[in-house]
Amino acid sequence: MNGWKRAGRGDRLRFVATFDAQEANVLRGLMTEVRQMLAARVAEAPTDELATLTGMQTGPSTPPADRVLARLLPDFTKDDPDFAAGMRALHEPELIAAKDAAAALVLDTLPARGGRVELTPEQADTWLAALNDVRLALGTALDVTEDMPDEVPPDDPRAPHLGVYHWLTYVQDALVQELMHGV
């Protein structure tokens, strides 16, 4: 990918980039992994009679045990554990649905074998949310911190994956820059 470009104006404004086959494969794989993690979390949701009667979906009241998933689905507050549990049970299903829909949009708009991606401004915002989720997940798995160097020694087990993390950062930043251009 060589960056995002603006095309058109007004109602016809689009954000365009071209991904090669390997880039598309990596991004599609990461989006699919995030969706699978979210689906596994949905499967953990309790069933209760009130939800069945009202159609109001509830989620687990406890945070995910997996640290990557916990980073994607953080506590709503740390001040009051009971309040946090209630908020999680009520709002986590909506949060998961939004994250899953964002990843699905990326998969729908990114050609499987690479190629041109053309996004409306609304789709670009959704791509940013999905890219952020993938970066959070990968960054957590790799133990990325603010003070971590851009490169780690070749024998570091994170070394092969850190390049992917930096590439995702570039894709996201390039899209942000184009969205902000002209604002």
Side-chain angles (χ1 to χ4, degrees), residues 70-94:
R71 182 69 176 102
L72 291 174
L73 303 168
D75 283 330
F76 289 84
T77 181
K78 298 241 187 246
D79 296 333
D80 182 343
D82 291 333
F83 182 70
M87 292 296 288
R88 178 176 294 283
L90 287 175
H91 296 290
E92 187 177 279
E94 295 169 40

Side-chain angles (χ1 to χ4, degrees), residues 101-156:
L105 178 88
V106 171
L107 293 171
D108 289 345
T109 55
L110 179 63
R113 294 190 176 127
R116 181 182 168 100
V117 174
E118 188 172 314
L119 306 173
T120 65
E122 295 79 18
Q123 289 172 321
D125 286 341
T126 302
W127 260 65
L128 286 177
L131 288 168
N132 190 61
D133 287 340
V134 168
R135 283 186 64 247
L136 281 174
L138 185 58
T140 301
L142 296 175
D143 291 320
V144 172
T145 62
E146 286 184 26
D147 56 346
M148 183 177 178
D150 285 343
E151 293 183 27
V152 293
D155 61 337
D156 187 310

